[in-house]
């Protein structure tokens, strides 16, 4: 039984995957499958030869992801070395929907600027952020970190980049189903922080920051850029108040949820607090007092 939505692009993509799988006799119909514009650049015989040659990298083909539209379909497939490549197939809109173009590339295409390092200590980076600050507001959901981060940003004129807003923006693109959304958020926040520091400007990051590796990464980024590193850990010492905040909040973040899971938060509390340079703020106290302590810590 077929379980995938039928589309012309998917049917042609499956034909390509058969070739990458080394299917016996594959390619005899290539002249009928490939569009004239395609064969004007690559002959059917050459395409069949190249595809059969690639079978050594992939056969047996294992598909680990699939994106299907009417005229474009993509499959993420495993290479024998365990890395992932993406096969893209674009077909003509008119019947019989011949293949207009197709290509195979790595999940992270070659030729791009290298990604950001885990440790910035030896990264080639100008010390452009002298006098600037990289400020991290850390804590579990409902601890009050976003409220304090936004207030501090408004008071000091520092932009605030928040995990929930970034991930909410990805929801229309399937972001709620990504394998590791917090890791994606960390990478986006790191990129945004780097961009700010390269411009000599301060930045506030609103992120749970439970992983020690994330803390060390951002500390090394600040140090390498010549910026001051400040950490504010938010906690709510009253479990009843914390739970009420978590389950009753309404933030209106597009694509994101308002309430949270109290049982999940209780488990995550074990990752806190930080040690060392962090200021720990109990948000049960009046907001004005907590904000005053935070501002003193940031500008010290």
């Amino acid at each position: 039984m077929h379980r995938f939505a039928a589309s012309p692009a998917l049917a042609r993509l499956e034909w390509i995957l058969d070739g990458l799988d080394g299917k016996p006799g594959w390619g005899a119909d290539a002249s009928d499958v490939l569009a004239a514009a395609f064969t004007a650049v690559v002959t059917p015989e050459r395409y069949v030869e190249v595809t059969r040659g690639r079978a050594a990298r992939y056969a047996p083909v294992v598909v680990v992801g699939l994106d299907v539209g009417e005229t474009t379909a993509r499959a993420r497939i495993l290479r024998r070395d365990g890395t992932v490549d993406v096969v893209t197939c674009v077909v003509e809109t008119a019947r019989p929907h011949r293949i207009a173009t197709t290509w195979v590339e790595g999940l992270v295409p070659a030729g791009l600027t290298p990604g950001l390092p885990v440790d910035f200590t030896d990264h080639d980076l100008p010390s452009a952020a002298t006098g600037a600050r990289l400020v991290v507001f850390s804590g579990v959901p409902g601890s009050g970190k976003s409220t304090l981060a936004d207030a501090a940003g408004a008071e000091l004129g520092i932009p605030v980049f928040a995990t929930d807003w970034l991930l909410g923006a990805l929801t229309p693109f399937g972001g709620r189903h990504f394998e590791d959304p917090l890791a994606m958020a960390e990478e986006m926040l790191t990129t945004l922080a780097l961009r700010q520091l390269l411009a000599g400007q301060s930045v506030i990051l609103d992120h749970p920051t439970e992983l020690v590796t994330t803390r060390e990464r951002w500390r090394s980024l600040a140090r390498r850029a010549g910026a001051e590193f400040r950490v504010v850990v938010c906690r709510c010492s009253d479990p009843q108040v914390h739970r009420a905040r978590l389950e009753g909040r309404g933030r209106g973040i597009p694509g994101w949820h308002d309430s949270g899971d109290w049982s999940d938060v209780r488990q995550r509390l074990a990752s806190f607090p930080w040690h060392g340079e962090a200021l720990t703020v109990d948000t049960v106290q009046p907001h004005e007092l907590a904000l005053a302590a935070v501002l003193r810590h940031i500008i010290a």
Side-chain angles (χ1 to χ4, degrees):
M1 179 173 61
H2 293 289
R3 298 183 183 275
F4 298 108
S7 85
L10 178 59
R12 296 306 191 189
L13 177 63
E14 289 180 316
W15 179 82
I16 295 170
L17 295 179
D18 283 342
L20 295 174
D21 212 15
K23 183 178 180 180
W26 178 86
D29 56 348
S31 296
D32 298 324
V33 173
L34 302 174
F38 185 98
T39 57
V41 179
V42 180
T43 66
E45 295 77 15
R46 177 57 179 161
Y47 178 73
V48 170
E49 178 186 359
V50 170
T51 302
R52 284 188 174 279
R54 287 174 171 169
R57 306 177 193 171
Y58 304 110
V61 169
V62 176
V63 177
V64 296
L66 192 64
D67 300 305
V68 179
E70 281 297 303
T71 58
T72 302
R74 293 183 178 87
R76 294 181 289 283
I77 63 175
L78 285 178
R79 294 175 63 120
R80 286 188 171 180
D81 63 5
T83 58
V84 177
D85 282 351
V86 180
V87 184
T88 300
C89 175
V90 181
V91 301
E92 296 176 322
T93 56
R95 292 179 180 275
H97 307 293
R98 294 186 176 92
I99 295 174
T101 185
T102 180
W103 65 92
V104 181
E105 62 183 352
L107 184 63
V108 178
L112 300 181
T113 300
L116 297 179
V118 174
D119 186 347
F120 283 85
T121 301
D122 298 319
H123 191 62
D124 185 14
L125 188 68
S127 297
T130 302
R133 287 166 171 77
L134 194 169
V135 185
V136 177
F137 278 77
S138 172
V140 295
S143 62
K145 67 181 180 299
S146 296
T147 299
L148 276 178
D150 290 343
E155 185 72 24
L156 299 173
I158 300 175
V160 179
F161 299 111
T163 289
D164 292 352
W165 282 85
L166 294 176
L167 293 181
L170 296 178
T171 295
F173 308 98
R176 299 287 295 176
H177 307 287
F178 291 156
E179 184 175 348
D180 194 347
L182 283 181
M184 294 184 63
E186 177 193 324
E187 201 63 26
M188 289 187 284
L189 289 172
T190 304
T191 301
L192 290 167
L194 173 62
R195 182 67 186 90
Q196 286 295 114
L197 295 178
L198 286 176
Q201 300 173 2
S202 296
V203 59
I204 292 175
L205 303 181
D206 172 3
H207 183 68
T209 329
E210 292 160 88
L211 298 178
V212 173
T213 52
T214 304
R215 303 171 185 181
E216 294 297 333
R217 187 185 198 192
W218 288 345
R219 182 183 290 108
S220 73
L221 170 58
R223 184 183 300 117
R224 187 67 184 86
E228 297 292 331
F229 186 57
R230 298 286 187 269
V231 178
V232 178
V233 178
C234 297
R235 60 182 293 270
C236 180
S237 61
D238 187 327
Q240 291 183 330
V241 172
H242 192 167
R243 182 171 186 174
R245 287 178 180 172
L246 181 72
E247 297 178 346
R249 63 185 181 178
R251 298 177 296 168
I253 299 175
W256 203 244
H257 50 77
D258 283 326
S259 61
D261 184 342
W262 176 241
S263 61
D264 173 66
V265 167
R266 290 182 63 186
Q267 292 178 357
R268 293 168 65 182
L269 280 169
S271 299
F272 297 92
W274 284 39
H275 299 286
E277 73 276 81
L279 169 70
T280 299
V281 177
D282 188 345
T283 58
V284 169
Q285 66 181 305
H287 174 74
E288 294 76 12
L289 295 179
L291 178 59
V294 166
L295 294 177
R296 288 194 299 270
H297 177 64
I298 293 175
I299 65 178

